[in-house]
Amino acid sequence: AATTTMTNYNSVPTDEHTQQSHTNSYAHADMSSNSTALLGLAQPLRTEGTITEQNVYVNSFARAARPLSSDVLIKNGILSELKEYGKEIVPARCHEASNYLVTDAICDELYAGKVMAGLCSAGLKVQKLVVPVMTDESGETSTEPSKTREVFDQLVDEIIEAGINKNSCIISLGGGVVNNICGVLAAVLYRGITLVHLTTTTMGAFDAAIDFKQGINHPLGKNLLGTYWPASTIVIDPTTFRTLSQRHLLNGISEALKHGFCQSRELTDLIVQPLAQHGASKLRDPAYLEAVCKACIEIKVPTLTHYEESDYNEMCPQYGHAIGHAVEHLSWHDGREPMLHGEAVAIGMVVSAEVAFLMGLCDEQCVREHYEFVKATGLPAFVPASMTVEDILYKMSFDKHHVKKPTMGLPARMGTFAKNGDSFSFEVNEETIAEALQANMSKRPETVPTIRAAANADAAAIAAACDACAGQRMMSVDKLAPWATRSRGGVQYPCLCCAP
């Protein structure tokens, strides 16, 4: 727990009589009849201030902050068993209160019915709110456009009007965006109520939900508004990964790869080697996804538990994000092809390796492996041609680690962060970042397939490689459920056994 101290400096009258009157009124008043000891309290009734040599009255107050603690539960099929587990997942103080399930339009159709039924059957009072989902021009769904003050304010209004109390709970059902929105909701409503995550995507399970950081976007940048607030319980049902598109599966893989790149060569190999050997079909292997999920959680947990001990624990989860956030935010504006968070972070990590090389912190092999491993997973490695160096540098100026200069963690070699004295953060000149971005752009092939085209090619490869569909290799999108049609436009899906 952290201790926060706030000090108030109030000028007091210099007139001797007034000052003496102030002292007589408070310091020497007979307050024995109000003594806290008579009430059985150990605290003093008053804390006396002091007067400085400059004749300024000084006092202060402090208390230990709310402990930040979360439990993570992973169980296949647990979303179908909430009648049994509901009251274990939602803390006892919330059992008689009005609670709110916040989900997105896709998860509403996929899971909200059984989740609501399970929680209500467990004896909980739960109402549902739905966040809009947008389909971008690539045919991919995303809740990122809903991670705004406008959507946040609307949710706040609906919850307050429907009624809550200090024991109410916000339950998120969805991916990283929904998890983040709900985190801010829980932190702000009544100055803090209970939060529970039922996270349904690899992005949520591998990264976004496994954190105390909660945030929403601002028109000038990503996650510029937010707070630190713990979910009491984070629930992961790996069966939900089956409904994800390939891009959304890779979205979380990128965040897992981040921890591998800066913390563990072993984790890097666990993620990359199966994909390099078996291709995109490995993303439909439940055992592979669950193994990556657990390994990622186990390497991230110490960075959260020991956060205050070293900036290593801040820089590792942020690796690639200073540049990645800028790339992601730009992609959603001015007619560019929108990128998912993990796609932009993958590019940010590759450029960060270029920065490290230019600063003499890593060798060419480290840079080369960044490109090779990112491309082996199927993630993008190059800054889109629609963005300029100047665009990215401007957006980076809004990053929270940008004080006088952009600040970031950088690799010494694959799986290990570089040290800067006792720190793991480096202030980087904009000229160096510009040179790194240009180095990345110079390596970009003349014709880079769009993210949508790459995803289609991978989907076809999965279908062709599948043995379980008995010759029924492809199915048209019009044979899928309506939510799938909305989620991917006219894109063909893999065979029946692999299709979301």
Side-chain angles (χ1 to χ4, degrees):
T3 300
T4 301
T5 301
M6 298 178 64
T7 304
N8 289 335
Y9 295 94
N10 299 308
S11 295
V12 297
T14 57
D15 178 80
E16 184 176 336
H17 173 76
T18 306
Q19 185 172 338
Q20 184 64 38
S21 176
H22 166 84
T23 302
N24 288 340
S25 298
Y26 296 100
H28 302 295
D30 182 5
M31 298 184 179
S32 58
S33 60
N34 294 323
S35 173
T36 52
L38 297 178
L39 302 175
L41 301 175
Q43 69 194 49
L45 178 64
R46 48 186 292 274
T47 297
E48 188 171 343
T50 59
I51 304 296
T52 70
E53 292 181 358
Q54 292 76 30
N55 201 32
V56 177
Y57 172 85
V58 180
N59 211 326
S60 64
F61 54 93
R63 66 182 175 196
R66 171 176 174 160
L68 302 180
S69 176
S70 298
D71 292 327
V72 183
L73 308 178
I74 301 177
K75 185 179 187 298
N76 282 289
I78 193 170
L79 292 189
S80 299
E81 302 173 6
L82 292 178
K83 180 179 180 180
E84 176 183 354
Y85 289 100
K87 284 194 171 180
E88 293 182 31
I89 292 168
V90 177
R93 63 180 173 274
C94 310
H95 289 180
E96 301 302 318
S98 295
N99 304 299
Y100 291 86
L101 180 77
V102 181
T103 189
D104 62 62
I106 298 297
C107 287
D108 184 31
E109 294 191 37
L110 286 172
Y111 308 117
K114 66 180 179 183
V115 168
M116 286 289 292
L119 293 174
C120 292
S121 296
L124 298 170
K125 303 173 184 177
V126 186
Q127 298 182 54
K128 182 183 72 175
L129 300 173
V130 181
V131 172
V133 172
M134 191 200 86
T135 302
D136 66 32
E137 46 266 55
S138 75
E140 191 66 76
T141 55
S142 177
T143 47
E144 188 70 23
S146 294
K147 196 176 173 181
T148 64
R149 291 176 294 177
E150 292 75 19
V151 171
F152 175 80
D153 287 346
Q154 183 179 349
L155 291 168
V156 167
D157 291 346
E158 292 184 32
I159 291 170
I160 291 177
E161 288 172 5
I164 61 169
N165 62 43
K166 66 180 182 179
N167 295 322
S168 294
C169 178
I170 301 296
I171 306 167
S172 76
L173 175 65
V177 170
V178 172
N179 300 156
N180 273 188
I181 293 173
C182 288
V184 182
L185 280 172
V188 170
L189 287 165
Y190 280 28
R191 298 193 181 100
I193 60 175
T194 302
L195 173 67
V196 167
H197 287 320
L198 308 178
T199 191
T200 61
T201 66
T202 57
M203 174 54 71
F206 296 5
D207 187 72
I210 313 299
D211 214 319
F212 302 126
K213 292 185 294 187
Q214 317 295 345
I216 58 175
N217 298 335
H218 183 275
L220 290 175
K222 184 175 173 68
N223 290 340
L224 299 187
L225 306 173
T227 185
Y228 287 82
W229 194 253
S232 61
T233 312
I234 301 157
V235 177
I236 300 169
D237 182 346
T239 64
T240 60
F241 301 159
R242 298 172 187 170
T243 66
L244 299 176
S245 71
Q246 176 141 330
R247 283 181 64 192
H248 277 290
L249 287 168
L250 287 172
N251 198 28
I253 290 291
S254 177
E255 291 284 8
L257 200 60
K258 169 194 70 181
H259 286 285
F261 281 0
C262 65
Q263 291 182 273
S264 169
R265 178 64 186 249
E266 182 181 6
L267 177 57
T268 302
D269 291 341
L270 173 71
I271 297 165
V272 175
Q273 286 185 2
L275 291 171
Q277 292 171 6
H278 303 287
S281 62
K282 199 65 180 174
L283 292 170
R284 297 296 172 182
D285 180 352
Y288 168 75
L289 292 175
E290 191 167 340
V292 172
C293 181
K294 291 176 180 176
C296 188
I297 290 170
E298 288 174 1
I299 205 167
K300 185 172 184 179
V301 162
T303 69
L304 297 167
T305 303
H306 301 277
Y307 180 81
E308 301 292 346
E309 297 173 18
S310 168
D311 64 358
Y312 173 85
N313 299 312
E314 170 70 9
M315 292 297 107
C316 284
Q318 289 298 308
Y319 182 52
H321 282 59
I323 296 163
H325 275 169
V327 170
E328 179 186 3
H329 193 74
L330 286 167
S331 77
W332 285 90
H333 296 85
D334 300 324
R336 299 182 179 95
E337 183 180 11
M339 303 185 78
L340 300 180
H341 177 67
E343 294 167 342
V345 167
I347 294 170
M349 291 190 290
V350 171
V351 177
S352 296
E354 296 274 14
V355 170
F357 176 71
L358 291 171
M359 294 177 65
L361 300 173
C362 75
D363 58 17
E364 290 183 356
Q365 179 181 346
C366 180
V367 178
R368 184 171 61 253
E369 287 180 330
H370 271 70
Y371 281 96
E372 290 176 357
F373 295 163
V374 164
K375 290 191 284 186
T377 61
L379 286 159
F382 302 102
V383 174
S386 60
M387 299 180 193
T388 67
V389 171
E390 292 73 24
D391 289 336
I392 295 171
L393 289 175
Y394 173 70
K395 281 299 173 187
M396 287 182 67
S397 68
F398 297 101
D399 183 77
K400 72 174 182 178
H401 297 293
H402 189 297
V403 184
K404 295 180 179 179
K405 300 177 182 179
T407 303
M408 60 188 74
L410 295 167
R413 58 186 177 275
M414 181 55 62
T416 304
F417 247 176
K419 288 199 73 174
N420 185 15
D422 293 330
S423 174
F424 290 86
S425 64
F426 292 83
E427 287 189 342
V428 185
N429 293 324
E430 287 193 354
E431 293 79 8
T432 303
I433 295 174
E435 189 176 349
L437 288 166
Q438 288 163 351
N440 174 271
M441 293 172 178
S442 70
K443 296 173 183 177
R444 184 176 60 212
E446 290 186 11
T447 57
V448 179
T450 64
I451 294 172
R452 180 184 186 187
N456 289 353
D458 287 335
I462 294 172
C466 185
D467 296 325
C469 58
Q472 190 173 7
R473 293 296 184 191
M474 298 291 289
M475 64 182 290
S476 172
V477 71
D478 59 13
K479 296 181 181 178
L480 296 173
W483 71 266
T485 304
R486 287 203 303 275
S487 72
R488 294 300 295 273
V491 178
Q492 280 192 319
Y493 279 86
C495 48
L496 286 167
C497 58
C498 298

